[in-house]
Amino acid sequence: MSLANKLAEERRGRLAAERLLELKQAELSAANRKLGKHAAALQGEIVETRAEVATVKTENERVKTELGQANQKVEIAERRLWHSVQTITDGFAFFNSDNQMIAANSAYLVIFGGLEIVKPGVNYVTLLQVMTEEGIVNTGSLAPDDWRQMMTERWMQPQPEPITIRMWNDQYVKLVDRRGQGGDIVSLGHNITESVEYQIQLKAARAEAEAASRAKSAFLANMSHEIRTPMNGVVGMAELLGDTGLSEEQQLYVDTIKNSGEALLVIINDVLDYSKIEAQKLQLHPEPFDLERSIHEVIMLLQPSARDKNLTLLVDFDLFLPTAYIGDPGRIRQVLTNLMGNAVKFTSEGHVLVRVTGVPDPDSGQADVTIVIEDTGIGIPEDKIDHIFGEFNQVENERNRQFDGTGLGLAISQRLVALMEGEMWVTSEDGVGSCFGFRIPLALSDSDLPEHPPVPDGLRRVLVVDDIEANRTILRRQLEQMGLGVVCCSSGAEALENMTDIDLVLTDHNMPEMDGLELADAMRAAGHDTPILLLSSNPSFAANDPGAAHLHAIMQKPVPRADLFARLQSVGPLVDSQAPLAPVQRRKMRVLAAEDNKTNQLVFGKMVKGAEIEFVFANNGLEAVEKFESFKPDLIFMDISMPKMDGKEAATKIREIEAKSGGHVPIVALTAHAMDGDDQGILASGIDHYLTKPLRKPEIHGKLREMCPEEALPPFAEEDDRQAG
Ligand code: ADP
């Protein structure tokens, strides 16, 4: 190989090496550049990471501080809470679901007197054990075992009821336990000793106050009773003095004494009743009685004042409602007298209607009887309706002021009705009228419901004549329910035009233009011989009218249903209406009065003076029984308290004699006060009625008239009667 070749080859080798070098250098610088870039990027990242670390560090510091603060707060709150729990005087503890105590405040623990065993971890059942064994609790009537069992059972309830336990030292602790979620129980023990003691004191004070109030009422009751006895003397003597021929001036004084005395007696009786109710001394005395008769008795009493004012008294006793019940007739009559008396008192024209309804329930043997008294009087302003039931409360306005009264009547009636387990109400329109009502449950005394009375033979159509619509309606309904045809007329003239096909005329007495007696005259004059029944609120007055000769009968208005039906039975084809009420020779009514007190005999004798009767006294019960047999009285007035044999015994004897010989003489008891509590025995002894002292002439005369048998002469002539009425 030549040198040149060698040189060329060497040059080529060098060139190649130089190129390789250049290449490597280029690669190196590229790598260098890349490395530089990477280093720069890394540098950026490091800066960023450092910043982040710094932030995290700060954050960490803040969180640490806050956590510290929060922990501090929790600690404070916990400390405060516990401090509070410790401070409260009530016991506080909580237990886990295994009934182990987690913690308790010192008030809770103190009752265990520092016993070692009582500390967190102790079981509730162990606590109960400790309480009984150490005598911490007073288990009262329960044996310790039973007490623990009762307390454990209570504790196991999902939500135990609070319970009050008595501690050994007569402190009372009310335990309130609340189960939380997870079965934990928070237990609170309130010391309620003070309030228990307060309650005991309160109860004692209340009992004392009630006893004092009862004593006061009892005193009032006794006092009124005592005042009444001499007042009876004052009134009775004033009445007698009035009959001794006095000058006009003297008569005025005597009347004033009598009226004031009577007014005072009404007040005293009201106060007596009210205080008796308040003293809880008033008892009801249920017995069989006739409700319809009681209502009519009250009507009879009110009839004179109603007649004076020209008021009509009406009774609408539901035809299919029984009249025989078991109840306290005296008290029911008292309520009726108050409500009906008020209705008459506060009504100057129109009518007073007593409506009796009810549905008897033969299964229970009871009826809810509703009695409503409607009047067309002055009414009661709406804002006074509740007021009037209060004691001594009255409506005070111009119209009302002219009426006297105590304002106790409604308060007493309402309480009596409540005692009978009933209720009372009133509706009223000022200036139009009032409607007082009460509903009482009454046991049926006779389980048979009233029979439909048979329609008398030959009676089909009845003509009813009355100017008062309410009366026509009542009669129409009663007669129609019997199956009779009824034609109603509001005047005599109208009646005369409607006489075709009429079998009986039922006419009111007192009507404008043509009254019932004039109508009877006119009917006969027109050739009608139809029987005529006159309904009059003053029958003895009507009986003395020449027109009475045309009447089949005169009946006291309002007519009890039974009387009306009985009268209708007597009207038939056999009745000869041309020969009515033949005046037969009649004897005098025989009246016996048993009364031991001479003054009372004097008063009584004067009161019946002028009556066309045969009259004898018996000085005691024994004599009364003897005279009952020898004198054969038509009516007996019987004092209750008499020596040898009292009025009740005498009545029982008389009823025994009658049981053998037959008959039933009405006996009217004379009592100091119907409500004295001895009235239960009075009626049980066979006495039919009673009058309360002071005796009043109109009442005695009323009884004489009412009880006079048909075969005896009426006890009073027309003039006396009007005086009495
Ligand atoms: P007294 O009738 O003795 O005043 P009451 O308690 O019986 O007492 O009645 C209280 C008051 O109620 C009466 O004074 C009267 O103002 C009013 N009152 C009662 N009944 C009626 C009635 N039927 N019509 C109008 N007002 C009446």
Side-chain angles (χ1 to χ4, degrees):
M1 187 190 297
S2 70
L3 186 58
N5 275 354
K6 272 189 182 175
L7 283 172
E9 201 173 304
E10 199 183 315
R11 211 177 55 232
R12 272 196 308 272
R14 206 179 61 231
L15 280 174
E18 277 172 4
R19 265 198 311 270
L20 189 64
L21 183 66
E22 270 171 26
L23 200 65
K24 290 296 170 195
Q25 269 176 340
E27 273 178 11
L28 195 65
S29 66
N32 237 348
R33 259 192 329 269
K34 208 173 167 187
L35 203 65
K37 260 190 196 165
H38 187 64
L42 266 181
Q43 184 72 21
E45 264 177 41
I46 285 168
V47 171
E48 236 170 67
T49 308
R50 275 212 191 116
E52 271 173 19
V53 166
T55 316
V56 168
K57 248 187 179 170
T58 341
E59 192 76 1
N60 193 17
E61 281 306 313
R62 197 175 52 81
V63 169
K64 258 189 181 167
T65 327
E66 280 179 3
L67 192 65
Q69 283 170 347
N71 268 335
Q72 228 173 345
K73 277 187 186 164
V74 168
E75 263 169 40
I76 293 172
E78 201 173 289
R79 207 171 47 239
R80 281 185 184 152
L81 182 66
W82 193 240
H83 186 67
S84 313
V85 167
Q86 286 288 29
T87 313
I88 53 171
T89 47
D90 294 326
F92 177 89
F94 44 99
F95 295 79
N96 65 18
S97 53
D98 292 330
N99 308 316
Q100 283 164 334
M101 183 194 279
I102 299 169
N105 70 355
S106 28
Y108 194 98
L109 297 174
V110 78
I111 57 166
F112 296 94
L115 280 173
E116 182 63 20
I117 187 171
V118 182
K119 60 181 180 204
V122 66
N123 195 292
Y124 186 74
V125 179
T126 315
L127 283 185
L128 295 177
Q129 188 99 21
V130 169
M131 286 174 92
T132 49
E133 280 172 5
E134 299 291 325
I136 294 170
V137 68
N138 180 343
T139 59
S141 57
L142 285 181
D145 281 355
D146 296 339
W147 184 84
R148 282 198 305 269
Q149 190 179 343
M150 179 270 290
M151 291 296 284
T152 314
E153 276 168 14
R154 171 186 169 276
W155 180 260
M156 295 304 174
Q157 301 281 319
Q159 286 309 340
E161 282 293 311
I163 189 171
T164 300
I165 58 173
R166 186 174 170 187
M167 311 310 281
W168 60 277
N169 52 359
D170 280 344
Q171 297 279 303
Y172 290 85
V173 176
K174 181 177 181 183
L175 296 176
V176 181
D177 303 306
R178 202 44 61 78
R179 204 174 280 280
Q181 272 183 352
D184 280 5
I185 285 202
V186 175
S187 183
L188 276 176
H190 303 289
N191 188 334
I192 56 163
T193 311
E194 263 183 36
S195 80
V196 168
E197 277 170 0
Y198 186 61
Q199 268 178 24
I200 293 170
Q201 280 171 9
L202 221 57
K203 258 191 197 161
R206 190 190 157 135
E208 220 169 274
E210 281 174 352
S213 156
R214 274 198 302 277
K216 180 211 71 192
S217 302
F219 169 76
L220 214 56
N222 286 340
M223 277 310 293
S224 0
H225 187 81
E226 292 305 318
I227 297 171
R228 234 185 18 218
T229 315
M231 272 315 293
N232 286 343
V234 173
V235 172
M237 284 299 159
E239 182 139 4
L240 287 184
L241 194 59
D243 286 343
T244 56
L246 304 172
S247 73
E248 212 172 291
E249 195 182 3
Q250 287 168 329
Q251 188 68 47
L252 181 72
Y253 296 159
V254 167
D255 285 349
T256 312
I257 296 176
K258 189 178 136 236
N259 293 341
S260 313
E262 281 182 345
L264 185 56
L265 273 170
V266 170
I267 297 173
I268 292 169
N269 284 340
D270 276 358
V271 171
L272 175 63
D273 276 339
Y274 188 77
S275 38
K276 270 189 151 183
I277 298 176
E278 287 291 285
Q280 293 173 7
K281 284 210 172 146
L282 194 133
Q283 279 180 351
L284 296 175
H285 302 295
E287 60 180 77
F289 78 108
D290 187 311
L291 179 62
E292 195 182 9
R293 200 170 85 181
S294 299
I295 293 173
H296 281 275
E297 277 171 5
V298 178
I299 294 246
M300 287 297 284
L301 268 178
L302 297 173
Q303 199 68 267
S305 5
R307 218 157 42 206
D308 287 350
K309 296 173 151 190
N310 224 354
L311 286 185
T312 312
L313 301 180
L314 306 168
V315 180
D316 184 5
F317 201 109
D318 191 343
L319 194 67
F320 294 107
L321 185 67
T323 63
Y325 296 99
I326 296 172
D328 186 330
R331 293 303 178 184
I332 292 174
R333 219 174 290 140
Q334 189 179 0
V335 175
L336 286 169
T337 309
N338 173 239
L339 298 185
M340 288 159 65
N342 278 349
V344 170
K345 181 159 82 172
F346 295 107
T347 305
S348 56
E349 57 181 34
H351 66 257
V352 171
L353 167 61
V354 184
R355 208 186 286 283
V356 189
T357 51
V359 184
D361 176 8
D363 293 337
S364 69
Q366 280 229 338
D368 264 338
V369 179
T370 302
I371 303 180
V372 170
I373 292 115
E374 247 177 56
D375 66 51
T376 51
I378 62 171
I380 303 160
E382 211 180 322
D383 58 333
K384 291 283 190 274
I385 292 257
D386 293 331
H387 169 80
I388 54 167
F389 286 98
E391 302 83 41
F392 301 104
N393 286 357
Q394 300 176 313
V395 175
E396 282 184 26
N397 59 22
E398 282 306 311
R399 274 178 305 163
N400 208 76
R401 211 158 292 148
Q402 50 186 306
F403 305 101
D404 44 45
T406 57
L408 268 178
L410 288 176
I412 294 172
S413 296
Q414 197 179 38
R415 279 170 169 74
L416 287 178
V417 168
L419 262 180
M420 296 178 209
E421 290 169 13
E423 52 175 344
M424 192 168 186
W425 63 89
V426 57
T427 51
S428 184
E429 199 176 324
D430 200 9
V432 177
S434 309
C435 180
F436 282 82
F438 64 98
R439 185 181 306 114
I440 43 171
L442 286 175
L444 299 165
S445 131
D446 190 350
S447 50
D448 296 339
L449 295 184
E451 290 244 329
H452 205 299
V455 179
D457 287 344
L459 201 58
R460 289 169 299 109
R461 265 160 67 84
V462 181
L463 182 77
V464 170
V465 195
D466 202 310
D467 56 316
I468 292 170
E469 198 197 334
N471 222 359
R472 292 198 298 270
T473 312
I474 296 171
L475 285 169
R476 175 195 281 280
R477 230 192 19 243
Q478 291 187 337
L479 295 169
E480 280 180 350
Q481 277 173 332
M482 285 181 77
L484 293 168
V486 181
V487 180
C488 284
C489 298
S490 58
S491 69
E494 194 187 337
L496 285 166
E497 284 170 16
N498 283 280
M499 281 303 286
T500 25
D501 206 15
I502 295 295
D503 305 313
L504 172 71
V505 176
L506 215 67
T507 176
D508 181 31
H509 176 187
N510 196 3
M511 293 186 290
E513 285 154 34
M514 186 190 293
D515 74 17
L517 291 158
E518 288 164 347
L519 174 63
D521 262 347
M523 282 187 170
R524 295 296 176 251
H528 302 297
D529 58 1
T530 323
I532 302 172
L533 281 181
L534 182 82
L535 306 178
S536 171
S537 50
N538 198 351
S540 39
F541 178 63
N544 285 303
D545 189 283
H550 306 305
L551 302 174
H552 173 68
I554 302 171
M555 303 189 73
Q556 172 73 51
K557 205 176 116 179
V559 196
R561 297 173 311 172
D563 290 8
L564 178 65
F565 298 146
R567 275 296 172 190
L568 292 180
Q569 302 307 315
S570 74
V571 183
L574 298 178
V575 173
D576 179 0
S577 56
Q578 296 299 350
L581 299 178
V584 282
Q585 272 302 321
R586 287 190 278 179
R587 62 172 174 82
K588 279 187 184 170
M589 180 184 186
R590 289 187 292 266
V591 180
L592 167 68
E595 170 66 71
D596 62 312
N597 182 301
K598 292 290 172 220
T599 316
N600 287 344
Q601 282 193 2
L602 184 75
V603 175
F604 198 91
K606 295 273 183 183
M607 282 182 174
V608 296
K609 205 172 126 195
E612 281 290 308
I613 54 170
E614 271 185 70
F615 178 67
V616 292
F617 271 120
N619 292 306
N620 55 52
L622 269 183
E623 255 187 64
V625 178
E626 280 164 26
K627 292 211 167 136
F628 160 73
E629 290 186 287
S630 57
F631 179 61
K632 304 225 176 308
D634 298 308
L635 172 63
I636 303 174
F637 288 100
M638 182 83 80
D639 184 30
I640 292 302
S641 81
M642 288 186 293
K644 294 195 183 160
M645 182 186 277
D646 73 16
K648 284 188 266 184
E649 284 174 71
T652 312
K653 277 266 172 329
I654 290 172
R655 294 299 177 231
E656 277 168 19
I657 298 170
E658 283 177 342
K660 289 177 205 139
S661 61
H664 182 101
V665 176
I667 304 181
V668 180
L670 309 174
T671 68
H673 187 226
M675 305 311 163
D676 274 348
D678 59 348
D679 49 325
Q680 81 265 40
I682 293 182
L683 296 167
S685 63
I687 288 172
D688 308 276
H689 308 269
Y690 50 75
L691 289 179
T692 54
K693 292 178 180 176
L695 300 176
R696 288 177 188 84
K697 216 159 148 183
E699 282 176 18
I700 307 252
H701 287 199
K703 283 289 175 232
L704 290 176
R705 239 181 266 121
E706 200 183 318
M707 307 290 169
C708 181
E710 284 203 350
E711 65 272 21
L713 281 170
F716 299 102
E718 175 197 342
E719 197 185 324
D720 276 353
D721 183 63
R722 263 185 291 173
Q723 256 181 19

